[in-house]
Amino acid sequence: FVNFFSRTVSSRSEYSPAIVGVYDRLDHVRRTVLSLARCELAESTDLFVLSDGPKEGDEKQISKVRRFLHDVRGFKSVTIIERSTNLGRIANNRNGIAEIIRKQQRAIIMEDDNVCAPQFLKFQNYWLERIKHHNTIVAACGYTAPSVVLRKANFSNVLLPRFSAWGYGIWDDRFQELLDTKIKKEHISLRADSAHIFMQYGRDLYSKFRSHFFGNIDALDIRMWYLQATRSYLTVHPKISLVKNIGYDGTGLHSMPSQKFDVQLELQTDYDHRSPAYRLSRSETYEFVKWFEDAANVWDDGVTDKFFAKIDDAGTKCFAIWGTDILTYLFLRDADDRGYTISHFINTWADEDSFFNGQKVLTPEEAMTKDISHIVVLSCKSVDQIISHAKHLGADFKFIYLNEDEFSDKKK
């Protein structure tokens, strides 16, 4: 079920191979591959392309992508692995990467929308050799978030607690560790003994870890963030990004249009990829992580103001909150000086180990036994299910919430 098309296939090179997983986005694939071909060391690099098979109706577009790939030049070798059937992103990309990296021992992994700067391959190969036997530096990442704390600092490379899958180099043992990683239940609780993870590494991780734990998403970057948070792993990055993600244009699988992750590529010829990597101070780490928390807020600041207006219209200052996610953190942050009393936190999945903001999270059944009049529902997608669940239990709460269109008209 797989066709291999290779030109000048070589034995294991002294330089790391590059792997790109692709589907049907011809323009993105072209820009990604051509940027890689313009890199220094491209002529010494073996390129592997994992081309997933078409879903029904996508045959013509897949054919266009493959025709382009067959004309690619500028690398030491080009190997195109063409799937005859549609395996899906995980089976095509992840399984393909695992097979290649087992043979090559390490790899530079790109998504189909990762445009890179000319120094990218030199950065990757240099740092892969440096971190080969390192205990805590586990990958070299080409993308660097546009955090202010990094832009104003005086260094060329930096060690960070937040991995990026947009153009990263990794060794086979670390990649296998990623594949084997499972998020533990105790690390999706907000008890005092685990809450430090989210305070230190980013409160946005809470919802990501939960989604991964319950099988709603399966992403290698979430697995790596989990390892970084629980094992203090670091990744090395250029201060100014060597990779730009062009997929936030509405064509990506898990992304809506956004400019929050946009960066200017490091194009300066005097960039020193060999410069020692700087480790952030505690205060700098806090500022860096806060960028991810803010980026996870896909709503304008006006969303919390809309909630406040509805609470005021309801004429209450005391209420429970249903929902314990990043939106709840943002609500509490903005509501700090409004004189509200939050009597309880409620969530459908709550158990005896569930705590939020220092309070035990109630199940809906437990909330029925409390003296609760108003409930603010801090959710976008699940309002109808939450209210239906409460009514099924016979609840007579007064719910305060936003309709989905009240969120979406403020999205960036």
Side-chain angles (χ1 to χ4, degrees), residues 269-405:
T269 57
D270 61 350
Y271 163 68
D272 185 6
H273 64 280
R274 289 186 169 89
S275 175
Y278 173 78
R279 184 163 185 170
L280 299 180
S281 67
R282 183 180 293 271
S283 61
E284 289 170 330
T285 299
Y286 172 80
E287 290 300 320
F288 173 74
V289 166
K290 189 176 183 302
W291 183 90
F292 285 88
E293 295 179 349
D294 293 340
N297 175 21
V298 295
W299 324 112
D300 272 340
D301 292 338
V303 164
T304 51
D305 290 333
K306 286 184 176 183
F307 275 108
F308 300 152
K310 292 207 172 191
I311 293 168
D312 293 343
D313 289 344
T316 183
K317 289 285 188 180
C318 179
F319 48 85
I321 289 178
W322 194 313
T324 51
D325 212 326
I326 187 65
L327 183 58
T328 311
Y329 276 117
L330 297 168
F331 178 93
L332 295 177
R333 180 197 68 186
D334 294 347
D336 189 48
D337 59 352
R338 288 186 162 265
Y340 295 147
T341 299
I342 313 300
S343 61
H344 302 89
F345 291 100
I346 308 166
N347 220 317
T348 307
W349 50 258
D351 57 28
E352 66 275 7
D353 294 323
S354 301
F355 282 75
F356 187 88
N357 207 42
Q359 292 181 235
K360 186 181 184 306
V361 180
L362 304 179
T363 65
E365 291 76 9
E366 289 173 325
M368 292 286 293
T369 69
K370 306 296 182 182
D371 183 19
I372 298 173
S373 174
H374 291 79
I375 294 179
V376 176
V377 181
L378 293 178
S379 175
C380 171
K381 301 288 187 181
S382 304
V383 171
D384 290 342
Q385 297 95 308
I386 289 170
I387 294 176
S388 176
H389 188 177
K391 289 183 176 179
H392 179 72
L393 295 175
D396 191 28
F397 304 129
K398 297 179 177 67
F399 289 99
I400 301 169
Y401 57 91
L402 298 184
N403 295 313
E404 188 170 347
D405 60 349

Side-chain angles (χ1 to χ4, degrees), residues 51-64:
S51 175
D52 201 4
K55 298 177 183 177
E56 185 176 354
D58 292 342
E59 291 85 358
K60 288 184 178 179
Q61 196 62 23
I62 299 301
S63 178
K64 290 179 182 179

Side-chain angles (χ1 to χ4, degrees), residues 15-54:
Y15 295 108
S16 177
I19 306 173
V20 184
V22 306
Y23 185 55
D24 65 343
R25 296 192 294 176
L26 176 59
D27 181 61
H28 296 75
V29 172
R30 179 187 288 115
R31 292 172 64 184
T32 294
V33 172
L34 292 182
S35 73
L36 204 55
R38 286 191 288 267
C39 284
E40 300 175 68
L41 299 184
E43 69 283 356
S44 301
T45 299
D46 297 311
L47 175 66
F48 292 83
V49 184
L50 305 169
S51 175
D52 201 4

Side-chain angles (χ1 to χ4, degrees), residues 156-368:
S156 295
N157 301 303
V158 61
L159 298 174
L160 296 175
R162 293 291 289 258
F163 165 83
S164 171
W166 300 340
Y168 67 100
I170 195 166
W171 286 90
D172 54 349
D173 56 341
R174 293 302 188 185
F175 190 77
Q176 188 60 49
E177 185 177 13
L178 269 184
L179 297 181
D180 294 340
T181 293
K182 299 185 187 308
I183 293 177
K184 296 181 180 179
K185 184 176 181 180
E186 59 261 34
H187 292 136
I188 58 169
S189 165
L190 285 172
R191 294 176 63 94
D193 57 358
S194 61
H196 73 279
I197 288 177
F198 308 109
M199 299 307 295
Q200 182 176 352
Y201 291 93
R203 291 174 295 183
D204 60 301
L205 292 179
Y206 178 62
S207 59
K208 293 178 172 65
F209 288 176
R210 287 196 61 81
S211 293
H212 202 284
F213 179 83
F214 287 111
N216 299 321
I217 191 170
D218 183 5
L220 290 183
D221 50 4
I222 295 178
R223 295 184 189 216
M224 181 63 89
W225 293 334
Y226 179 72
L227 290 173
Q228 290 183 290
T230 57
R231 301 186 187 179
S232 300
Y233 286 169
L234 295 167
T235 46
V236 60
H237 303 242
K239 170 188 169 181
I240 302 176
S241 192
L242 294 173
V243 173
K244 178 184 179 74
N245 188 308
I246 59 173
Y248 277 86
D249 55 359
T251 64
L253 182 62
H254 296 301
S255 61
M256 69 175 94
S258 174
Q259 295 181 341
K260 291 182 178 180
F261 302 94
D262 200 19
V263 294
Q264 294 296 319
L265 291 184
E266 172 58 271
L267 299 175
Q268 302 173 45
T269 57
D270 61 350
Y271 163 68
D272 185 6
H273 64 280
R274 289 186 169 89
S275 175
Y278 173 78
R279 184 163 185 170
L280 299 180
S281 67
R282 183 180 293 271
S283 61
E284 289 170 330
T285 299
Y286 172 80
E287 290 300 320
F288 173 74
V289 166
K290 189 176 183 302
W291 183 90
F292 285 88
E293 295 179 349
D294 293 340
N297 175 21
V298 295
W299 324 112
D300 272 340
D301 292 338
V303 164
T304 51
D305 290 333
K306 286 184 176 183
F307 275 108
F308 300 152
K310 292 207 172 191
I311 293 168
D312 293 343
D313 289 344
T316 183
K317 289 285 188 180
C318 179
F319 48 85
I321 289 178
W322 194 313
T324 51
D325 212 326
I326 187 65
L327 183 58
T328 311
Y329 276 117
L330 297 168
F331 178 93
L332 295 177
R333 180 197 68 186
D334 294 347
D336 189 48
D337 59 352
R338 288 186 162 265
Y340 295 147
T341 299
I342 313 300
S343 61
H344 302 89
F345 291 100
I346 308 166
N347 220 317
T348 307
W349 50 258
D351 57 28
E352 66 275 7
D353 294 323
S354 301
F355 282 75
F356 187 88
N357 207 42
Q359 292 181 235
K360 186 181 184 306
V361 180
L362 304 179
T363 65
E365 291 76 9
E366 289 173 325
M368 292 286 293

